């Protein structure tokens, strides 16, 4: 692609300018991808380099340190206690004791079973007393995987703490050498509300995130490499095991038994992207339009209009969504009214029942999403529009710019600049917009061709509702759900990466300030 | 009464003399098309625009330079006028038998729209005759008999004058655009209110319990609310209320801790932590549900004991939603902290004594959103409660009432339940709307 200088660009005719901009956007994508990839490679390089440095530092500390430090390598916190920092030392010691205790009595067992995910499944045992066969349960793959992951977490935490312990010894030695006193336990406690107050504040939130988000996500990523499902539940029916990349092959290969899955995935992904595009941009522009109408000079009752629109935010979404979905039902109010008015003779099946009328439900969810989304955008746009300097408009008026010119040259660029990041998050948010789809259509109309193999999937299903259905309907192929979850993550991450690299508000941050 | 009779007679007349009416209509269509074709040629527009339905009206208004307003008048309002025709027809039909108020409403609305359409027709006629420098007589003709006079305008010797100095000043044109905005706003207000009005009306319907195609109940009563009181709804409502209260309290504390720290402290892993949470947020949250369910089940916190389980799930990861309040804390000047620190306050004292009083709007915003979220949560509640009758929240319970095997007995009760759930939440929201708007706009601006 030929690159123009700024002067050349300004001299281009209008249509060419637009084409050039579009071409430039797409040309920037490979570069953005390349930059992203390079960044990752560089980050990995840095990571290994810093690990090397750490090892070197540990080694040096051991060689140069005194006997207290050397002993601390094996008995954590010894150096602290020996130097008078009893509280810290005790905490280290306690942690080490807990770790060793856990590893001996539980951790080692879970860790050793992690590669196989259990050997003894449920089996029939002859019961001599009752003279019958009863089922005896063996290992629990789910627990093995869960506690295996927890044990790995624990080991990592231990290694980190061990490293901190060594570092502290080194620092303590240095401080003592320079003749200053060490911090006492009292000082440590005080620093928790002062210098290291951030540790106190972050402790609770981060623990929650670690246990309820990070751990489950790691677990579910691992599940994608197993055959964990309703029938292979790991305890009652049969064990589950590692299957390697088989599940990814099923979803991504275009032949064999996976063909249905990959075709369905392609279809659902396409619709998800279409939906996210329309749901984001229709709301964005219409919301902005409504905000401009309400904010226009001379319009009275501004508060009333806003309040009426904001009702859809104030009332819990599930009520309005469920009710609206019933309003457009075959025997709902809308059909009844249209019939009474003589506009239609036969009821319109807004939600569709066969593959033929898949278009109407798709349009309907987008339209109803406009109804839901305009108020949010109106609120946001109102706030931003009020911040646009009024003198911009005045000078434009003096130069004879029409209303449309003012909008396209002042309002729109300003809005886009400010709300660029918001557009991105709302796009990815819409990709995962479970409530609107599930409560309005439930993903229907059903896609019969795909449903037999890929769990009951419909034409309005997004990836996220499909994922939900896979985990709840018959078969409950959890492994498939987590494969799809991972793919959703990859799509979202890719889009975010590209957009962040191209977005003007990040590239030239000072433009509008 | 005579008015409706006249309408009916006209309809009858058209039916009887279909041939003549058809010929006249055809003449009108041809005359208007030809006239416009010529007029467009004179004004230097694309003449074939005359055969494209809406583009043609747009071009006409462009010549008269009525602009966007004219387009709205020509394109949108006639469509709305059609509603009026139906309104008249049915009003007349039903005048003989039972009457329904909805038709009266439609009739009135449609008449207003038609009147406005007429107004714009007159307006654009004025502009058009001005643009061709015609007299008042011609103007009246153009208003009353558009087909004939458009044809004349196209075929005679008159020339298009580009400078249109109309009698309509800036004030008038603003009045017109404001009128149009009001019309759009009224229509929007109706569209936005209709579902909520309907749900309230249907909650008082006692003649049947299933979904019906009319809005106004035939028999009014409080039966649905009484039934609601005797059902499990009470329990769901209490569940949700308890969850919402606890979540509002704990989530606010967690979010504030997180956002304050990330805004004010510069520690080693800060950037990395924020990026890590950004990446975490890209995983669909639903993935974690499967394992959380199994874990909660082992702890005995699912099904009938779902309430503590749900509280745990909601608050545990709430630290990830720190963006909005962090943006707010960023706007509080750091010099305040520094001044206090110089005076000997610890970091904790700075937070309690200086920052928190200033952060009242964002605290209220956080409480409000945290309180409202559990009322609408559906996925986790459905999964964790496993549709157990005493463990559900209102969202799952009411959703269940609309599943195909229950809807016929529970539809009106759903409406009543929806009203009972919506009123307190909506009232609370409306009272604290100011803070919500601040939070939402602040959050969006900062990304």
């Amino acid at each position: 692609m030929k690159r123009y200088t700024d002067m050349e660009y300004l001299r281009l005719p209008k249509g060419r300018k637009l084409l050039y901009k579009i071409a430039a956007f797409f040309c920037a994508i490979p570069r953005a991808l390349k930059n992203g990839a390079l960044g990752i490679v560089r980050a990995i390089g840095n990571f290994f380099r810093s690990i090397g440095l750490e090892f070197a530092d540990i080694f040096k500390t051991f060689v140069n340190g005194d006997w207290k430090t050397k002993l601390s390598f094996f008995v954590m916190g010894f150096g602290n206690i020996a130097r008078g920092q009893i509280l810290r030392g005790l905490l280290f010691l306690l942690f080490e004791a807990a770790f060793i205790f856990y590893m001996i009595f539980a951790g080692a067992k879970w860790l050793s079973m992690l590669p196989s995910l259990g050997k003894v499944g449920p089996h029939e045992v002859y019961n001599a007393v009752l003279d019958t066969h009863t089922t005896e349960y063996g290992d629990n793959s789910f627990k093995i995987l869960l506690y295996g992951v927890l044990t790995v977490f624990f080991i990592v935490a231990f290694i980190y703490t061990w490293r901190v312990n060594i570092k502290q010894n080194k620092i303590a030695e240095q401080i003592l050498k320079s003749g200053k006193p060490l911090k006492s336990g009292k000082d440590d406690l005080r620093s928790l509300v002062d210098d290291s107050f951030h540790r106190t504040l972050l402790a609770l939130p981060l623990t929650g995130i670690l246990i309820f988000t990070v751990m489950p996500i790691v677990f579910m990523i691992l599940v994608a490499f197993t055959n964990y499902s309703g029938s292979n539940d790991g305890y009652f029916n049969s064990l589950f095991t590692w299957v390697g990349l088989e599940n990814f092959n099923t979803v991504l290969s275009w032949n064999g038994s996976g063909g249905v899955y990959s075709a369905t995935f392609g279809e659902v992904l396409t619709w998800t992207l279409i939906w996210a595009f329309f749901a984001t941009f229709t709301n964005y522009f219409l919301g902005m339009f409504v905000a401009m109408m309400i904010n226009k000079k001379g319009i009275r009752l501004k508060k009333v209009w806003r309040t009426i629109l904001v009702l859809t935010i104030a009332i819990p979404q599930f009520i309005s969504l469920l009710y609206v979905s019933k309003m457009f039902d075959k025997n709902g109010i809308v059909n009844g009214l249209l019939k009474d008015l003589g506009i239609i003779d036969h009821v319109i099946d807004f939600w569709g029942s066969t593959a033929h009328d898949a278009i109407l439900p798709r349009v309907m969810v987008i339209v109803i999403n406009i109804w839901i989304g305009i108020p949010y955008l109106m609120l946001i746009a109102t706030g931003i529009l009020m911040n646009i300097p009024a003198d911009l408009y005045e000078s434009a008026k003096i130069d004879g710019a029409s209303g449309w010119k003012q909008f396209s040259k002042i309002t729109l660029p300003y809005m886009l600049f400010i709300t660029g990041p918001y557009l991105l998050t709302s796009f990815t948010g819409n990709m995962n917009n479970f409530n609107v789809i599930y409560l309005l259509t439930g993903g229907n109309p059903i896609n019969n061709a795909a449903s037999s193999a890929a769990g009951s999937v419909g034409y309005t299903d997004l990836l996220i509702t499909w994922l939900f259905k896979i985990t709840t309907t018959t078969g409950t192929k959890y492994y498939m759900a987590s494969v799809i979850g991972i793919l959703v993550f990859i799509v979202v991450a890719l889009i975010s990466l590209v957009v962040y690299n191209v977005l003007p508000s990040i590239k030239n941050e000072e433009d509008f300030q | 009464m005579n008015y409706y009779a006249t309408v009916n007679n006209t309809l009858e007349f058209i039916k009887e003399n279909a041939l003549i009416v058809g010929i006249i209509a055809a003449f009108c269509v041809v005359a208007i098309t030809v006239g416009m074709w010529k007029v467009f040629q004179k004004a230097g527009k694309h003449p074939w625009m005359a055969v494209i339905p809406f583009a043609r009206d747009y071009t006409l208004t462009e010549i008269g330079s009525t602009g966007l307003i004219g387009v709205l008048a020509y394109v949108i309002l006639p469509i709305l006028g059609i509603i009026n025709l139906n309104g008249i027809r049915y009003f007349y039909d039903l005048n003989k038998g039972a009457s329904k108020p909805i038709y009266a409403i439609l009739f009135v609305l449609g008449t207003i729209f038609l009147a406005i359409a007429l107004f714009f027709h007159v307006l654009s006629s004025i502009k058009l005759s001005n643009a061709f420098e015609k007299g008042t007589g011609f103007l009246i003709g153009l208003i009353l008999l558009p087909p004939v006079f458009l044809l004349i305008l196209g075929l005679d010797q008159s020339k298009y004058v580009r400078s249109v100095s109309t009698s309509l000043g800036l004030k008038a044109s603003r009045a017109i655009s404001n009128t149009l905005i009001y019309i759009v706003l009224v229509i929007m207000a109706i569209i936005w209110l209709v579902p909520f009005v309907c749900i309230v009306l249907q909650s008082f319907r006692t003649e049947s319990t299933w979904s019906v195609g009319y809005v106004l109940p035939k028999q009014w009563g409080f039966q649905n609310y009484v039934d609601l009181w005797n059902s499990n709804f009470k329990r769901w409502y209490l569940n949700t209320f308890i969850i919402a209260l606890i979540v509002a309290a704990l989530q606010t504390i967690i979010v504030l801790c997180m956002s304050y720290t990330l805004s004010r402290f510069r520690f080693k892993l800060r950037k990395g932590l924020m990026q890590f949470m950004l990446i975490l947020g890209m995983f669909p949250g639903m993935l974690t549900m499967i394992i959380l369910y199994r874990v909660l089940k082992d702890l005995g916190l699912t099904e009938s004991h779902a309430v503590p389980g749900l509280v745990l799930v909601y608050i545990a990861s709430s630290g990830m939603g720190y963006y909005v309040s962090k943006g707010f804390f960023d706007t509080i000047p750091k010099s305040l902290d520094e001044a206090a620190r110089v005076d000997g306050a610890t970091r904790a004292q700075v937070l309690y004594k200086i920052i928190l009083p200033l952060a009242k709007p964002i605290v209220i915003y956080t409480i409000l959103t945290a309180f409202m979220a559990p009322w609408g949560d559906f996925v986790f509640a459905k999964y964790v409660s496993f549709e157990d009758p005493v463990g559900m929240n209102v969202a799952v319970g009411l959703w269940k009432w609309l599943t195909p095997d229950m809807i016929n007995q529970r539809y009106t009760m759903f409406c009543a339940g929806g009203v009972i759930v919506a009123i307190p939440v909506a009232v609370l929201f409306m009272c604290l709307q100011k803070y919500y708007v601040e939070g939402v706009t602040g959050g969006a601006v900062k990304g």
Side-chain angles (χ1 to χ4, degrees), chain A residues 323 331-334 336-337 340, chain B residues 100 198 202 205 207-208 210-219:
Chain A
Y323 190 75
N331 48 0
I333 291 171
V334 173
L337 219 60
D340 283 346
Chain B
K100 290 188 183 180
C198 286
Q202 303 245 310
R205 192 182 74 209
E207 77 265 17
S208 59
W210 54 83
S211 172
V212 290
Y214 53 88
V215 180
L216 282 180
K218 289 184 176 127
Q219 284 170 353

Side-chain angles (χ1 to χ4, degrees), chain A residues 254-328:
Chain A
W254 291 97
N255 46 31
S257 61
V260 181
Y261 258 113
S262 52
T264 313
F265 179 76
E267 252 175 71
V268 178
L269 177 65
T270 317
W271 160 240
T272 306
L273 291 176
I274 294 174
W275 148 264
F277 179 82
F278 278 104
T280 308
F281 288 99
T282 49
N283 279 352
Y284 186 74
F285 287 108
L286 290 174
M288 193 160 57
F289 187 58
V290 172
M292 281 164 60
M293 285 201 303
I294 296 179
N295 286 343
K296 193 173 179 292
K297 257 186 213 160
I299 297 290
R300 281 151 191 272
L301 303 171
K302 287 188 199 308
K303 264 209 168 146
V304 175
W305 306 120
R306 268 185 216 137
T307 310
I308 289 173
L309 293 185
V310 163
L311 261 182
T312 44
I313 308 179
I315 289 171
Q317 230 182 41
F318 83 94
I319 297 173
S320 35
L321 284 174
L322 281 174
Y323 190 75
V324 169
S325 93
K326 292 301 160 203
M327 274 176 76
F328 285 95

Side-chain angles (χ1 to χ4, degrees), chain B residues 46-72:
Chain B
H46 299 293
W48 40 265
M49 282 293 200
V51 283
I52 307 170
F54 292 114
R56 161 188 101 153
D57 303 313
Y58 174 71
T59 318
L60 198 64
T61 56
E62 252 188 353
I63 294 170
S65 62
T66 331
L68 201 65
I69 307 156
V71 182
L72 283 175

Side-chain angles (χ1 to χ4, degrees), chain A residues 491-510:
Chain A
V491 172
V492 171
L494 267 184
I495 292 174
S496 313
L497 196 69
V498 169
V499 175
Y500 258 113
N501 275 315
V502 180
L503 220 56
S505 27
I506 287 156
K507 264 207 283 187
N508 11 310
E509 222 178 327
E510 308 299 323

Side-chain angles (χ1 to χ4, degrees), chain B residues 102-322:
Chain B
I102 183 74
Y103 300 129
I105 296 167
L106 279 176
F107 170 68
V108 172
L109 279 181
T111 310
I112 295 169
F113 294 142
L114 272 189
I116 294 164
L118 198 67
F119 170 66
F120 281 104
H121 169 65
V122 173
L123 186 72
S124 61
S125 298
I126 295 173
K127 295 222 162 194
L128 204 60
S129 74
N130 273 347
F132 284 88
E133 291 189 318
K134 293 286 182 187
T136 322
F138 187 87
L139 174 63
I140 292 167
L142 196 60
I143 291 169
L144 294 181
L145 279 176
V148 177
F149 280 80
L150 259 182
L151 204 57
I152 295 172
L153 192 64
L155 296 176
D156 73 356
Q157 299 292 316
S158 59
K159 285 241 165 60
Y160 174 61
V161 185
R162 203 168 175 77
S163 60
V164 199
S165 55
T166 52
S167 53
L168 245 73
L170 199 67
K171 234 181 189 175
S173 85
R174 177 173 292 165
I176 292 161
S177 71
N178 280 1
T179 317
L180 273 165
I181 287 177
Y182 279 125
I183 293 165
V184 175
L185 285 178
V186 167
I187 295 170
M188 279 184 70
I190 292 171
I191 294 175
W192 255 258
L193 284 177
V194 157
F196 302 123
V197 173
C198 286
I199 198 171
V200 173
L201 289 176
Q202 303 245 310
S203 72
F204 291 107
R205 192 182 74 209
T206 52
E207 77 265 17
S208 59
T209 55
W210 54 83
S211 172
V212 290
Y214 53 88
V215 180
L216 282 180
K218 289 184 176 127
Q219 284 170 353
W220 297 70
F222 285 94
Q223 191 54 43
N224 296 317
Y225 290 92
V226 176
D227 289 344
L228 210 59
W229 179 251
N230 295 326
S231 71
N232 270 330
F233 181 77
K234 258 185 317 200
R235 183 64 196 251
W236 306 337
Y237 200 85
L238 196 67
N239 284 348
T240 321
F241 188 69
I242 291 170
I243 293 174
L245 273 188
I246 300 176
V247 168
L250 295 182
Q251 188 166 320
T252 309
I253 293 172
I254 289 178
V255 168
L256 289 181
C257 280
M258 195 83 184
S259 49
Y260 176 74
T261 315
L262 291 176
S263 161
R264 275 301 193 271
F265 292 84
R266 294 290 177 270
F267 47 97
K268 216 171 89 193
L269 286 173
R270 177 173 165 274
K271 268 259 158 73
L273 192 67
M274 281 163 68
Q275 278 167 358
F276 180 64
M277 281 193 284
L278 191 73
I279 294 171
L280 270 190
M282 291 177 190
F283 278 98
M286 212 167 282
L287 261 190
T288 62
M289 206 169 57
I290 300 160
I291 171 171
L292 287 183
Y293 175 71
R294 283 285 292 255
V295 172
L296 290 177
K297 199 173 175 183
D298 282 352
L299 295 173
L301 295 180
T302 54
E303 287 157 50
S304 54
H305 302 290
V307 174
L310 277 173
V311 170
L312 207 57
V313 171
Y314 290 146
I315 61 167
S317 304
S318 53
M320 294 189 30
Y322 65 86

